Amino acid sequence: MKKWMKKVAILLMAIGMFISTGAGVFSVKNVSAAETDPTLSRVKKSGKLVVGTAAEYAPYEFHATVNGKDKILGFDMDVARTLAKHLGVKLEVQDMSFDSLLGAVKTGKIDMAIAGMTYTPERAKEVNFSTPYYNDKNVVLTLKENKNKWATLDQIRGAKLGAQVASSQSKLASTLTDKKTVQVKKITDLVMQLSQKKVDAVVLAQTSAKSYLTQSDQFAITKAKLPITTGNAVSTVMNKNSPVFKERVDQILKDHVIGAPLQKWQDKAFKQAVQKDSFIKKYMPYFIKGTEYSVGLAVIGVFFGIILGVLFALMKMSTIKPLKWLAVAYIEAIRGVPLLIQVFLVYFGTQVIGLDVSSFLAGAIAMFLNSAAYVAEIIRSGIQAVPAGQTEAARSLGFTKNQTMRYMILPQAIKNILPALGNEFVTVIKEGSVVSVIGVGELTFQTSVVQGASFKPFLPLIVTAVIYFILTFGITRLLNFFEKKLHKSDKSFG
Amino acid sequence: MAILEIKNLHKEYGKNTVLKSINATVEEGDVIAILGPSGTGKSTLLRELNMLEYPTSGAVIFEDQDITKASEAGLDKIRQDLGMVFQSFNLFPNMTVLDNVKIALTKVKGIADDEATATAKQFLEKVGVVDKVDVYPASLSGGQQQRVAIARALAMNPKIMLFDEPTSALDPEMVGEVLKTMRELAQEGMTMLVVTHEMGFAREVASKIWFMSDGDMTAYDNPVSFFENPNSERAQNFLAKML
């Protein structure tokens, strides 16, 4: 019980932190003074270059354990180090989600973003792009055994091609083949389809393709030369109001990065990305973090779900008609709509009414609003399953209605509902995977991260499945134990 | 002296009339056996004496107060004086035998814990299950459970005891031990109303018979006159079936 409470406390703190960091970003947005302050003078004044990155994209930037310490490696980090060195300042790296990088640059939270970011007209409206320091060519990846089958553009016309949905590669792929292209959201899934021969070849950026080559000797890059216009120009990203800073950065990139130095760093990064560490050792932190979030979501979901559920259960059993109707309407509405839709409704609905809610908080709210409906029904049936004779016996002894509820009905009802409540907890842990859609870092979300970082599409799924099973099975066993303890009063001599 | 008066007590469930304007008086020390065929309103009548069910009309006067008009709080007080024993025992399964008897003493009457324990044990001794104080009801036989239920009601020191078919759910070999307890109680002068099908018990122990049939009630002040010479066809038919 103590551990439980500890976990709940940690989670409540976590929610608090999420809210406060969210508020932090929000308030910085309103400080327009930071945008007018030239970045260069800030860097010079503070003596450090603050670089933001999203370290989930090997070999550009990725987390790795070096001498027992978690570090961000990748050739982008060498680029950052070189820039800082030639600016004459120290380097400070901040890891954040890819989506928040542009906002951080605009608000001056970071001086520069280096995260394998490619130029798009939309992004260029918001921020300044440096001169590209690397052109990540598109290549065609296929199985080694088919390397010669798809060696020319002519041959590829007859291939079934796969590409990441809405990417420059997907446009390219559809012009290369006469067959219909397969479009998938994640590159890892694409590569899995390739290994299972569901597609003949995959069009993707060279850097990603090479990573797969280092991970597995199953694949090969074909000799087919793709049109030169379809590269991915990778730049660093800076605030629009700092043209002088951009000039300096461009110069350093031209003098000390582009060409041979970058090539050297890339080779090093590729090697580092393929660490000797076992998969588990390397990626366990992701799974642990995801498990914490999953359990946290479930604890919050069921905890507040029970509080709200008791309320709705009592309302549904109330003799006051409007309360009863409200409870019935809520329960039926929640049970009649998929959780996925409810998660989106909470996440985007809070934005519509002007609340800046983090994805974790939105996910947690959706979970307990959903859970409350089911818990309400569990509690109601638990209370109603206590025989009427118990109430009659208690009342005939002079117990008040409330006393009867407290001493006779609820203790028996709790015993009745514990198994169902346990099932609900298990259900919530599993259904928590749904909130990964809004970017909550729970187990299912982390699985995608590991799939991306490890270039292994299947193994992370197995690990996740095992973790889910251990969680749910463990909880079920634990509940059985408590249930047995509670039922000691039912044991008869017979 | 009348301890309980029933005046024009009437009960309808929808179109169904269960009690037809019953009038009766209970004197202190009476042991009244309420007899009659099944489904004729015996239990309903008993349950309307402590307002587990409310009558459609009529009055129940207990100590000069019409309890059909008592407030919720007033009723909680009155019910302490009207002990009730149920067909299905209705012991609290989540409490030990001792706690079953004790809890109303401490929580309703506000008696100190050690005093309540002593009182509870005294009544459990009286009904002969004092060796079972620490077990849960589920491990007792039906007869033992019903005797605990009697002890639970008696511990509240009630003025009247209401028994609603106390032996109907028992295996035949356990009926005797419960009836014995009830007989002892009657001999001590407890005012008792007993809905029962135990004709032998009614004949031996009851001081009055209330015969119920189709919502009507006929009171016999002398059990012998009911059993020997029931001057109604319905009573004769009933006795012919039962004896």
Side-chain angles (χ1 to χ4, degrees), chain A residues 142-152 155-156 220-224:
Chain A
T142 185
L143 293 172
K144 214 172 207 170
E145 61 199 75
N146 295 333
K147 196 181 168 186
N148 294 322
K149 200 172 162 191
W150 312 115
T152 68
Q155 286 171 325
I156 286 174
I221 293 174
T222 67
K223 288 200 186 88

Side-chain angles (χ1 to χ4, degrees), chain A residues 314-386:
Chain A
L314 293 177
M315 279 167 69
K316 197 172 172 182
M317 289 186 291
S318 166
T319 45
I320 304 165
K321 282 277 159 61
L323 287 183
K324 190 185 169 117
W325 292 331
L326 194 67
V328 170
Y330 180 83
I331 290 165
E332 294 308 319
I334 291 289
R335 295 206 297 181
V337 176
L339 177 58
L340 179 64
I341 303 300
Q342 290 167 14
V343 169
F344 280 133
L345 280 174
V346 171
Y347 189 54
F348 296 118
T350 46
Q351 270 182 356
V352 168
I353 59 172
L355 288 173
D356 192 16
V357 173
S358 76
S359 58
F360 180 83
L361 195 56
I365 291 171
M367 292 293 279
F368 82 69
L369 287 180
N370 178 274
S371 187
Y374 292 91
V375 171
E377 283 298 271
I378 291 169
I379 288 171
R380 185 190 56 80
S381 65
I383 287 174
Q384 288 180 347
V386 177

Side-chain angles (χ1 to χ4, degrees), chain A residues 10-32:
Chain A
I10 288 167
L11 279 156
L12 291 177
M13 277 164 62
I15 298 179
M17 278 165 65
F18 267 99
I19 299 170
S20 57
T21 51
V25 170
F26 195 74
S27 61
V28 171
K29 269 180 199 164
N30 296 336
V31 182
S32 53

Side-chain angles (χ1 to χ4, degrees), chain A residues 389-390 392-401 403 407-408 411-412 415 488-493, chain B residues 47 50 52 72 76 79-80 82 84 86 90-95 103-104 107-108 136 138-139 152 156:
Chain A
Q390 291 291 308
E392 290 181 352
R395 298 307 301 276
S396 76
L397 286 165
F399 283 98
T400 65
K401 235 182 199 172
Q403 283 179 321
Y407 296 116
M408 288 84 198
Q412 295 183 52
K415 201 169 77 179
K488 69 174 192 277
S489 60
D490 290 349
K491 244 183 258 160
S492 88
F493 291 138
Chain B
R47 292 157 62 83
N50 67 352
L52 283 186
E72 189 79 12
D76 290 333
R79 282 179 177 138
Q80 296 177 37
L82 302 168
M84 190 160 199
F86 300 86
N90 296 350
L91 293 182
F92 307 128
N94 54 325
M95 302 174 199
I103 187 162
K107 304 296 180 191
V108 177
Y136 286 89
S139 60
R152 179 175 70 178
M156 294 297 282

